Short mmCIF file of all heavy atoms in Angstrom, two decimals:
data_model
loop_
_atom_site.label_atom_id
_atom_site.label_comp_id
_atom_site.label_asym_id
_atom_site.label_seq_id
_atom_site.Cartn_x
_atom_site.Cartn_y
_atom_site.Cartn_z
N MET S 1 52.66 -63.11 44.95
CA MET S 1 53.92 -63.52 44.30
C MET S 1 54.53 -64.57 45.20
O MET S 1 54.59 -64.32 46.41
CB MET S 1 54.90 -62.35 44.10
CG MET S 1 56.05 -62.66 43.21
SD MET S 1 56.96 -61.18 42.87
CE MET S 1 55.82 -60.25 41.90
N PRO S 2 54.98 -65.70 44.71
CA PRO S 2 55.58 -66.76 45.62
C PRO S 2 56.85 -66.27 46.25
O PRO S 2 57.67 -65.45 45.72
CB PRO S 2 55.82 -67.94 44.62
CG PRO S 2 55.09 -67.51 43.37
CD PRO S 2 54.95 -66.07 43.29
N THR S 3 57.07 -66.93 47.39
CA THR S 3 58.32 -66.63 48.15
C THR S 3 59.27 -67.82 48.01
O THR S 3 58.82 -68.94 48.28
CB THR S 3 58.02 -66.33 49.62
OG1 THR S 3 57.14 -65.27 49.73
CG2 THR S 3 59.33 -66.12 50.39
N TYR S 4 60.43 -67.67 47.64
CA TYR S 4 61.41 -68.74 47.41
C TYR S 4 62.51 -68.53 48.43
O TYR S 4 63.04 -67.35 48.71
CB TYR S 4 61.96 -68.77 45.98
CG TYR S 4 60.84 -69.00 45.02
CD1 TYR S 4 60.31 -67.96 44.22
CD2 TYR S 4 60.45 -70.22 44.73
CE1 TYR S 4 59.32 -68.12 43.37
CE2 TYR S 4 59.45 -70.53 43.77
CZ TYR S 4 58.90 -69.47 43.10
OH TYR S 4 57.93 -69.67 42.09
N ALA S 5 62.94 -69.63 48.98
CA ALA S 5 63.97 -69.59 50.08
C ALA S 5 65.32 -70.14 49.36
O ALA S 5 65.30 -71.00 48.64
CB ALA S 5 63.65 -70.50 51.19
N TYR S 6 66.41 -69.42 49.76
CA TYR S 6 67.70 -69.69 49.22
C TYR S 6 68.74 -69.85 50.35
O TYR S 6 68.48 -69.15 51.48
CB TYR S 6 68.14 -68.70 48.17
CG TYR S 6 67.35 -68.55 47.00
CD1 TYR S 6 66.18 -67.84 46.96
CD2 TYR S 6 67.68 -69.30 45.87
CE1 TYR S 6 65.32 -67.78 45.84
CE2 TYR S 6 66.89 -69.17 44.74
CZ TYR S 6 65.72 -68.44 44.74
OH TYR S 6 64.95 -68.41 43.63
N ARG S 7 69.85 -70.40 50.19
CA ARG S 7 70.86 -70.50 51.20
C ARG S 7 72.20 -70.17 50.50
O ARG S 7 72.48 -70.71 49.46
CB ARG S 7 70.95 -71.82 51.86
CG ARG S 7 71.91 -71.91 53.04
CD ARG S 7 71.88 -73.11 53.82
NE ARG S 7 72.19 -74.34 52.95
CZ ARG S 7 73.41 -74.72 52.75
NH1 ARG S 7 74.47 -74.14 53.31
NH2 ARG S 7 73.69 -75.80 51.99
N CYS S 8 72.87 -69.32 51.09
CA CYS S 8 74.19 -68.85 50.56
C CYS S 8 75.22 -69.88 51.03
O CYS S 8 75.32 -70.23 52.21
CB CYS S 8 74.55 -67.49 51.07
SG CYS S 8 76.21 -66.88 50.49
N ARG S 9 76.02 -70.34 50.01
CA ARG S 9 77.04 -71.23 50.43
C ARG S 9 78.36 -70.71 50.85
O ARG S 9 79.21 -71.34 51.36
CB ARG S 9 77.33 -72.19 49.16
CG ARG S 9 76.30 -73.27 48.92
CD ARG S 9 76.65 -74.32 47.99
NE ARG S 9 76.54 -73.85 46.64
CZ ARG S 9 76.46 -74.60 45.61
NH1 ARG S 9 76.32 -75.91 45.71
NH2 ARG S 9 76.27 -74.07 44.31
N GLU S 10 78.40 -69.32 50.80
CA GLU S 10 79.65 -68.64 51.29
C GLU S 10 79.46 -68.20 52.64
O GLU S 10 80.37 -68.41 53.55
CB GLU S 10 79.92 -67.38 50.36
CG GLU S 10 80.32 -67.81 48.95
CD GLU S 10 80.92 -66.67 48.19
OE1 GLU S 10 81.61 -65.87 48.81
OE2 GLU S 10 80.60 -66.52 46.95
N CYS S 11 78.35 -67.63 53.12
CA CYS S 11 78.20 -67.26 54.47
C CYS S 11 77.01 -68.04 55.18
O CYS S 11 76.74 -67.77 56.33
CB CYS S 11 77.84 -65.74 54.50
SG CYS S 11 76.20 -65.31 53.75
N THR S 12 76.57 -69.08 54.48
CA THR S 12 75.55 -69.95 55.01
C THR S 12 74.25 -69.26 55.55
O THR S 12 73.46 -69.75 56.24
CB THR S 12 76.07 -70.81 56.21
OG1 THR S 12 76.25 -69.98 57.35
CG2 THR S 12 77.31 -71.54 55.88
N GLU S 13 74.00 -68.00 55.01
CA GLU S 13 72.92 -67.30 55.36
C GLU S 13 71.67 -67.82 54.54
O GLU S 13 71.81 -68.21 53.46
CB GLU S 13 73.10 -65.86 54.94
CG GLU S 13 71.92 -64.94 55.25
CD GLU S 13 71.88 -64.61 56.72
OE1 GLU S 13 72.92 -64.69 57.43
OE2 GLU S 13 70.91 -64.11 57.18
N THR S 14 70.50 -67.97 55.23
CA THR S 14 69.38 -68.40 54.57
C THR S 14 68.44 -67.10 54.31
O THR S 14 68.24 -66.36 55.31
CB THR S 14 68.54 -69.41 55.37
OG1 THR S 14 69.44 -70.59 55.57
CG2 THR S 14 67.32 -69.89 54.63
N PHE S 15 67.97 -66.93 53.12
CA PHE S 15 67.09 -65.75 52.90
C PHE S 15 65.97 -66.18 51.97
O PHE S 15 65.92 -67.19 51.32
CB PHE S 15 68.04 -64.63 52.32
CG PHE S 15 68.72 -65.04 51.04
CD1 PHE S 15 68.15 -64.60 49.80
CD2 PHE S 15 69.91 -65.78 51.01
CE1 PHE S 15 68.83 -65.00 48.58
CE2 PHE S 15 70.50 -66.18 49.81
CZ PHE S 15 69.94 -65.75 48.67
N GLU S 16 64.98 -65.16 51.87
CA GLU S 16 63.87 -65.45 51.06
C GLU S 16 63.69 -64.31 50.04
O GLU S 16 64.10 -63.21 50.27
CB GLU S 16 62.59 -65.50 51.87
CG GLU S 16 62.57 -66.66 52.85
CD GLU S 16 61.23 -66.79 53.59
OE1 GLU S 16 60.55 -65.71 53.67
OE2 GLU S 16 61.03 -67.88 54.12
N VAL S 17 63.27 -64.68 48.88
CA VAL S 17 63.03 -63.76 47.71
C VAL S 17 61.67 -63.89 47.15
O VAL S 17 61.22 -64.96 46.92
CB VAL S 17 64.15 -63.96 46.69
CG1 VAL S 17 63.85 -63.03 45.45
CG2 VAL S 17 65.50 -63.85 47.14
N ASN S 18 61.06 -62.77 47.04
CA ASN S 18 59.72 -62.76 46.34
C ASN S 18 59.96 -62.53 44.92
O ASN S 18 60.51 -61.39 44.47
CB ASN S 18 58.84 -61.63 47.00
CG ASN S 18 58.37 -61.89 48.36
OD1 ASN S 18 57.92 -63.02 48.61
ND2 ASN S 18 58.51 -61.03 49.21
N ARG S 19 59.53 -63.51 44.07
CA ARG S 19 59.77 -63.29 42.69
C ARG S 19 58.75 -64.04 41.93
O ARG S 19 58.24 -65.05 42.46
CB ARG S 19 61.20 -63.75 42.29
CG ARG S 19 61.51 -65.07 42.90
CD ARG S 19 62.77 -65.64 42.28
NE ARG S 19 63.91 -64.65 42.17
CZ ARG S 19 65.14 -64.96 41.81
NH1 ARG S 19 65.46 -66.22 41.59
NH2 ARG S 19 66.05 -64.06 41.76
N PRO S 20 58.50 -63.70 40.70
CA PRO S 20 57.51 -64.49 39.93
C PRO S 20 57.94 -65.98 39.64
O PRO S 20 59.22 -66.18 39.68
CB PRO S 20 57.47 -63.73 38.51
CG PRO S 20 58.06 -62.47 38.79
CD PRO S 20 59.00 -62.58 39.89
N MET S 21 56.99 -66.79 39.44
CA MET S 21 57.27 -68.26 39.27
C MET S 21 58.23 -68.46 38.15
O MET S 21 59.05 -69.35 38.04
CB MET S 21 56.01 -69.08 39.07
CG MET S 21 56.02 -70.46 39.63
SD MET S 21 54.49 -71.26 39.65
CE MET S 21 53.59 -70.39 41.01
N SER S 22 58.02 -67.59 37.12
CA SER S 22 58.95 -67.72 35.89
C SER S 22 60.40 -67.46 36.27
O SER S 22 61.19 -67.84 35.38
CB SER S 22 58.44 -66.88 34.88
OG SER S 22 58.46 -65.54 35.31
N GLU S 23 60.69 -66.79 37.25
CA GLU S 23 62.11 -66.51 37.68
C GLU S 23 62.60 -67.34 38.80
O GLU S 23 63.63 -67.04 39.38
CB GLU S 23 62.21 -65.04 38.00
CG GLU S 23 61.87 -64.13 36.84
CD GLU S 23 61.96 -62.65 37.18
OE1 GLU S 23 62.58 -62.37 38.33
OE2 GLU S 23 61.48 -61.84 36.54
N SER S 24 61.82 -68.33 39.13
CA SER S 24 62.15 -69.23 40.31
C SER S 24 63.54 -69.94 40.13
O SER S 24 64.27 -70.23 41.11
CB SER S 24 61.06 -70.33 40.58
OG SER S 24 61.00 -71.17 39.68
N ALA S 25 63.88 -70.19 38.88
CA ALA S 25 65.20 -70.90 38.64
C ALA S 25 66.33 -69.87 38.46
O ALA S 25 67.48 -70.36 38.35
CB ALA S 25 65.06 -71.85 37.44
N ALA S 26 66.05 -68.67 38.40
CA ALA S 26 67.07 -67.58 38.15
C ALA S 26 67.95 -67.63 39.42
O ALA S 26 67.54 -67.79 40.50
CB ALA S 26 66.49 -66.37 37.91
N PRO S 27 69.31 -67.31 39.27
CA PRO S 27 70.11 -67.10 40.44
C PRO S 27 69.69 -65.96 41.41
O PRO S 27 69.22 -64.96 40.97
CB PRO S 27 71.43 -66.70 39.73
CG PRO S 27 71.39 -67.21 38.32
CD PRO S 27 69.96 -66.92 37.90
N ALA S 28 69.95 -66.19 42.61
CA ALA S 28 69.61 -65.14 43.62
C ALA S 28 70.80 -64.81 44.39
O ALA S 28 71.68 -65.64 44.67
CB ALA S 28 68.62 -65.77 44.68
N THR S 29 70.97 -63.55 44.60
CA THR S 29 72.04 -63.07 45.39
C THR S 29 71.76 -62.89 46.83
O THR S 29 70.73 -62.33 47.22
CB THR S 29 72.50 -61.66 44.85
OG1 THR S 29 72.80 -61.82 43.38
CG2 THR S 29 73.81 -61.29 45.48
N CYS S 30 72.63 -63.47 47.76
CA CYS S 30 72.28 -63.28 49.17
C CYS S 30 72.43 -61.82 49.64
O CYS S 30 73.06 -60.95 48.96
CB CYS S 30 73.32 -64.18 49.96
SG CYS S 30 74.69 -63.45 50.71
N PRO S 31 71.87 -61.52 50.89
CA PRO S 31 71.93 -60.15 51.40
C PRO S 31 73.33 -59.64 51.49
O PRO S 31 73.53 -58.32 51.53
CB PRO S 31 71.22 -60.22 52.70
CG PRO S 31 70.37 -61.43 52.58
CD PRO S 31 71.06 -62.42 51.71
N GLU S 32 74.29 -60.50 51.60
CA GLU S 32 75.69 -60.03 51.73
C GLU S 32 76.42 -59.84 50.40
O GLU S 32 77.48 -59.48 50.26
CB GLU S 32 76.50 -61.06 52.54
CG GLU S 32 75.99 -61.24 53.95
CD GLU S 32 76.04 -60.06 54.84
OE1 GLU S 32 76.95 -59.22 54.58
OE2 GLU S 32 75.13 -59.83 55.60
N GLY S 33 75.57 -60.25 49.36
CA GLY S 33 76.06 -59.93 47.97
C GLY S 33 76.79 -61.11 47.33
O GLY S 33 77.37 -61.00 46.28
N HIS S 34 76.71 -62.31 47.96
CA HIS S 34 77.34 -63.47 47.38
C HIS S 34 76.41 -64.10 46.38
O HIS S 34 75.18 -64.06 46.45
CB HIS S 34 77.61 -64.52 48.49
CG HIS S 34 78.48 -63.91 49.54
ND1 HIS S 34 78.11 -64.12 50.94
CD2 HIS S 34 79.58 -63.24 49.52
CE1 HIS S 34 79.12 -63.58 51.63
NE2 HIS S 34 79.93 -63.01 50.82
N ALA S 35 76.93 -64.66 45.29
CA ALA S 35 76.19 -65.12 44.22
C ALA S 35 76.12 -66.75 44.29
O ALA S 35 75.32 -67.30 43.50
CB ALA S 35 76.72 -64.71 42.86
N ASP S 36 76.86 -67.28 45.17
CA ASP S 36 76.93 -68.74 45.20
C ASP S 36 75.77 -69.24 46.18
O ASP S 36 76.08 -69.47 47.29
CB ASP S 36 78.30 -69.17 45.75
CG ASP S 36 78.43 -70.76 45.62
OD1 ASP S 36 77.63 -71.36 45.01
OD2 ASP S 36 79.46 -71.23 46.19
N THR S 37 74.58 -69.35 45.65
CA THR S 37 73.44 -69.65 46.47
C THR S 37 72.75 -70.86 45.91
O THR S 37 72.81 -71.16 44.68
CB THR S 37 72.40 -68.50 46.55
OG1 THR S 37 72.01 -68.15 45.21
CG2 THR S 37 73.01 -67.34 47.22
N VAL S 38 72.06 -71.57 46.80
CA VAL S 38 71.21 -72.80 46.31
C VAL S 38 69.83 -72.57 46.73
O VAL S 38 69.56 -71.92 47.75
CB VAL S 38 71.74 -73.97 46.94
CG1 VAL S 38 73.12 -74.40 46.33
CG2 VAL S 38 71.86 -73.94 48.46
N LYS S 39 68.88 -73.04 45.88
CA LYS S 39 67.48 -72.81 46.16
C LYS S 39 67.04 -73.97 47.10
O LYS S 39 67.28 -75.09 46.91
CB LYS S 39 66.66 -72.87 44.83
CG LYS S 39 65.21 -72.61 44.99
CD LYS S 39 64.66 -72.41 43.49
CE LYS S 39 63.14 -72.19 43.57
NZ LYS S 39 62.45 -73.53 43.91
N LEU S 40 66.23 -73.49 48.16
CA LEU S 40 65.64 -74.54 49.07
C LEU S 40 64.24 -74.78 48.65
O LEU S 40 63.70 -74.26 47.73
CB LEU S 40 65.70 -73.88 50.46
CG LEU S 40 67.14 -73.48 51.00
CD1 LEU S 40 67.04 -72.84 52.32
CD2 LEU S 40 68.07 -74.64 50.99
N LEU S 41 63.59 -75.71 49.46
CA LEU S 41 62.27 -76.01 49.23
C LEU S 41 61.34 -74.74 49.22
O LEU S 41 61.59 -73.89 50.17
CB LEU S 41 61.71 -77.01 50.25
CG LEU S 41 62.32 -78.45 50.02
CD1 LEU S 41 61.82 -79.31 51.23
CD2 LEU S 41 61.85 -79.06 48.80
N THR S 42 60.45 -74.65 48.34
CA THR S 42 59.60 -73.48 48.33
C THR S 42 58.66 -73.45 49.57
O THR S 42 57.85 -74.39 49.68
CB THR S 42 58.84 -73.42 47.01
OG1 THR S 42 59.72 -73.63 45.99
CG2 THR S 42 58.08 -72.14 46.94
N THR S 43 58.67 -72.41 50.33
CA THR S 43 57.75 -72.32 51.52
C THR S 43 56.28 -72.30 51.10
O THR S 43 55.50 -72.86 51.81
CB THR S 43 58.11 -71.18 52.31
OG1 THR S 43 58.17 -69.99 51.55
CG2 THR S 43 59.48 -71.33 53.05
N VAL S 44 56.03 -71.69 50.08
CA VAL S 44 54.64 -71.51 49.57
C VAL S 44 54.07 -72.85 49.26
O VAL S 44 52.97 -73.11 49.58
CB VAL S 44 54.60 -70.55 48.37
CG1 VAL S 44 53.21 -70.56 47.81
CG2 VAL S 44 54.99 -69.14 48.81
N ALA S 45 54.87 -73.72 48.62
CA ALA S 45 54.39 -75.01 48.19
C ALA S 45 54.05 -75.93 49.29
O ALA S 45 53.25 -76.84 49.26
CB ALA S 45 55.33 -75.60 47.22
N LEU S 46 54.80 -75.67 50.48
CA LEU S 46 54.55 -76.57 51.64
C LEU S 46 53.33 -76.25 52.43
O LEU S 46 52.62 -77.20 52.82
CB LEU S 46 55.76 -76.37 52.59
CG LEU S 46 57.16 -76.90 52.05
CD1 LEU S 46 58.29 -76.62 53.03
CD2 LEU S 46 57.03 -78.38 51.83
N THR S 47 52.88 -74.98 52.45
CA THR S 47 51.73 -74.64 53.19
C THR S 47 50.52 -75.06 52.36
O THR S 47 50.37 -74.79 51.12
CB THR S 47 51.66 -73.11 53.48
OG1 THR S 47 51.92 -72.45 52.24
CG2 THR S 47 52.73 -72.78 54.53
N GLY S 48 49.64 -75.78 53.03
CA GLY S 48 48.37 -76.16 52.36
C GLY S 48 48.45 -77.51 51.60
O GLY S 48 47.36 -78.01 51.09
N ALA S 49 49.64 -78.02 51.40
CA ALA S 49 49.80 -79.20 50.65
C ALA S 49 50.63 -80.29 51.48
O ALA S 49 51.14 -81.10 51.00
CB ALA S 49 50.55 -78.88 49.34
N ALA S 50 50.57 -80.11 52.78
CA ALA S 50 51.36 -80.93 53.62
C ALA S 50 50.70 -82.29 53.99
O ALA S 50 51.11 -83.07 54.62
CB ALA S 50 51.71 -80.26 54.95
N GLY S 51 49.36 -82.50 53.49
CA GLY S 51 48.67 -83.72 53.73
C GLY S 51 47.79 -83.61 54.95
O GLY S 51 46.78 -83.04 54.93
N ALA S 52 48.16 -84.31 56.03
CA ALA S 52 47.37 -84.38 57.20
C ALA S 52 47.19 -82.92 57.89
O ALA S 52 48.10 -82.18 57.85
CB ALA S 52 48.01 -85.30 58.19
N PRO S 53 46.03 -82.70 58.31
CA PRO S 53 45.72 -81.47 58.99
C PRO S 53 46.68 -81.27 60.18
O PRO S 53 47.08 -82.29 60.90
CB PRO S 53 44.28 -81.51 59.47
CG PRO S 53 43.71 -82.61 58.70
CD PRO S 53 44.87 -83.52 58.40
N ALA S 54 46.96 -80.00 60.50
CA ALA S 54 47.89 -79.77 61.60
C ALA S 54 47.23 -79.97 63.00
O ALA S 54 47.83 -80.34 63.94
CB ALA S 54 48.41 -78.28 61.57
N THR S 55 45.92 -79.79 63.05
CA THR S 55 45.18 -79.98 64.30
C THR S 55 44.87 -81.43 64.52
O THR S 55 44.97 -82.27 63.58
CB THR S 55 43.78 -79.25 64.23
OG1 THR S 55 43.10 -79.68 63.01
CG2 THR S 55 44.03 -77.75 64.05
N GLY S 56 44.62 -81.76 65.74
CA GLY S 56 44.54 -83.18 66.14
C GLY S 56 43.28 -83.91 65.66
O GLY S 56 42.53 -83.29 64.94
N GLY S 57 43.03 -85.04 66.14
CA GLY S 57 41.79 -85.84 65.75
C GLY S 57 42.06 -86.64 64.49
O GLY S 57 43.09 -86.63 63.84
N CYS S 58 41.05 -87.38 64.12
CA CYS S 58 41.19 -88.35 62.99
C CYS S 58 41.17 -87.58 61.60
O CYS S 58 41.61 -87.99 60.69
CB CYS S 58 40.14 -89.41 63.02
SG CYS S 58 38.41 -88.78 62.84
N CYS S 59 40.52 -86.42 61.72
CA CYS S 59 40.30 -85.76 60.41
C CYS S 59 40.43 -84.16 60.56
O CYS S 59 40.15 -83.44 59.65
CB CYS S 59 38.95 -86.04 59.96
SG CYS S 59 37.68 -85.48 61.03
N GLY S 60 40.87 -83.72 61.72
CA GLY S 60 40.92 -82.29 61.92
C GLY S 60 39.49 -81.64 62.08
O GLY S 60 39.31 -80.45 61.99
N GLY S 61 38.49 -82.42 62.37
CA GLY S 61 37.20 -81.97 62.61
C GLY S 61 36.22 -82.01 61.42
O GLY S 61 35.10 -81.75 61.41
N ALA S 62 36.77 -82.40 60.21
CA ALA S 62 36.00 -82.32 58.94
C ALA S 62 34.91 -83.42 58.99
O ALA S 62 33.87 -83.17 58.32
CB ALA S 62 36.85 -82.51 57.82
N CYS S 63 35.04 -84.51 59.68
CA CYS S 63 34.04 -85.45 59.68
C CYS S 63 33.03 -85.50 60.80
O CYS S 63 32.22 -86.33 60.90
CB CYS S 63 34.72 -86.95 59.57
SG CYS S 63 35.38 -87.40 61.21
N GLY S 64 33.19 -84.48 61.70
CA GLY S 64 32.21 -84.36 62.75
C GLY S 64 32.49 -85.26 63.96
O GLY S 64 31.58 -85.57 64.69
N CYS S 65 33.71 -85.74 64.15
CA CYS S 65 34.01 -86.66 65.09
C CYS S 65 34.33 -85.94 66.43
O CYS S 65 34.72 -86.67 67.44
CB CYS S 65 35.22 -87.50 64.71
SG CYS S 65 36.70 -86.52 64.41
N ALA S 66 34.23 -84.70 66.55
CA ALA S 66 34.22 -83.89 67.73
C ALA S 66 35.71 -83.90 68.27
O ALA S 66 35.90 -83.65 69.33
CB ALA S 66 33.34 -84.43 68.81
N ASN S 67 36.58 -84.21 67.44
CA ASN S 67 38.02 -84.05 67.89
C ASN S 67 38.47 -82.69 67.35
O ASN S 67 39.66 -82.22 67.56
CB ASN S 67 38.93 -85.12 67.21
CG ASN S 67 38.74 -86.43 67.90
OD1 ASN S 67 38.57 -86.55 69.09
ND2 ASN S 67 38.76 -87.45 67.03
ZN1 ZN F 101 76.30 -64.81 51.46
#
């Protein structure tokens, strides 16, 4: 199940919620009980789709360049 990050505009708390993708747009309540929250970038979408490999070298080792 994807993890979605939200930030509360009342207490500025950032929190994460595990919920189905179909409910990603649904309102989330912060741990303090505030309903005025905004959805942040999805952490799941960022991992694995960030483009360049995190490791060094020209290709992260995929081309055999010994980096
Ligand atoms: Zn709050």
